[in-house]
Amino acid sequence: MVLLRSLIANLNPHLDRNPTLLRHVKNSTIRKSLSTTSSFVHPHVKQALERSTEEHLAVDRSTIFHPYTSLLNPTPTLPVKSAKGCTLTLETGESLIDGMSSWWACVHGYNNPSLNAAVTAQLSSMSHVMFGGLTHRPGVALGDTLTKLTGMDSAFICDSGSISVEIALKMALQYHRANSNPEKSKFITVEGGYHGDTFGAMSVCDPVNGMHSAFESVLPKHVFCRKPTEDPECIDLSEKLKAHGDSIAAFVIEPIVQGAGGMRFYSPEYLNKARKLCDSHDVVLIFDEIATGFGRAGKLWAKDYTEVQPDIMCIGKALTGGYMTSAATLSTRKISHGVSKPPSNGPPLPLMHGPTFTANPLACAVALESLNLLLRPSIDGEPESEPWWKTRVDMINHHLSDKLSAARSNPKVVDVRVLGAIGVIEMCSPLNVPEVTRKCVELGAWLRPFGNNLYTFPPYVIEEEELEVLTKAMISIIEDDKCTTC
Ligand SMILES: Cc1ncc(COP(=O)(O)O)c(C=O)c1O
């Protein structure tokens, strides 16, 4: 303050003799220095935002890691300028119809006016506050609504799908510790599964296609049984539980659809049997509905194909309509109370999880609006009409079933399968991703195959003529020898 006073006096010696004017100048100077808005743009930021598309892509290639790529030999990327509805517009001028929903999340399309409004409204009250010791309406409203929609009892709203799986694993371990069964410290799961990229989640992904070989020395070893498609009677799970049940805390599985591990669909009967086996071996049943939730597999939750209620359920991806990262781990009362019971030989523990952005209010607010959009009656003024998501998913299902069936006669095709709003063409060998991408741009579509599977998870807002672009592209890709071989 002394410094400020002498500075002001130096600037204008008369001010020092006028206390009112001095106070005014002091306040406005302080206000200026504390101002929260600024027109300053750092030169690095300016350069990065204003460089040509070519330079932008060169920096991207040399400096930026994209998912599962090597900086020594990066796979090509397309520069997206904007996205609206189901259309991605590239800096290079092309428009692509999105068949991926940005990794299965963006069910309402991009730049959706209702979701934009929900984010904007939430921004004007608070974008974030810590959830430790504080609570807020969007967080509680979302958790409460999710428990009611899933038939579960409690919710932990967390950062991403992988993290929701970590929480589920912790819950199962803590539950057995609290029940004085600490020897139940392993997990059992099926081959061909995918549950995320964090360490706990990786350890229950497929042992061959997952990242076990890259992290073998640090990943814990769990028990794997055969894929549900190969063991519909659940015999392997039954035998492995007989052999290892005493050391198993939980069985982790994606219900009905094994997604990123191979896009396989299996019978609900497997889950009925698995529930009984888990009960008889005191094993917690965890359903990972991160990919299948919110109608994607044709029911609101894939578990709705069965009568089975899991003990823990993970949801994510479409939770915020693809707007921002968030997920949730839901549990029954038995688990949510069970984790914190005092064990016979130690102190009780709270649930040991609580990262910085737990229940971020922006994510919660947009998730609530996404639920409103999904669950609204499909016919205005008719509350009994089917929910909006169902009519959209049914329309997509019919279109995919009809148009992809043409692929069946192609000798390079092993299988064509459609469930809910998921369409898959399985080839007899891996697809050439850069070639598929090039062909897609030519055909006005955005599809990204993995392994032998060319697939689509379109946004639910997609129109028939846009779907037509995707299905035509899929048929054309499998006929192109540069994209596929056998
Ligand atoms: C079934 C399943 N579980 C977990 C995850 C991981 O979710 P996230 O990528 O949000 O961490 C995914 C992602 O594809 C998934 O499909």
Side-chain angles (χ1 to χ4, degrees), residues 103-119:
W103 270 335
W104 326 344
C106 197
V107 287
H108 303 291
Y110 303 91
N111 221 333
N112 179 290
S114 304
L115 298 184
N116 288 357
V119 179

Side-chain angles (χ1 to χ4, degrees), residues 104 160-163 165 194-197 254 259-260 288-291 317:
W104 326 344
S160 69
S162 303
I163 299 298
V165 171
Y194 177 76
H195 300 284
D197 287 359
E254 297 153 271
D288 176 347
E289 291 240 21
I290 290 162
K317 288 201 183 275

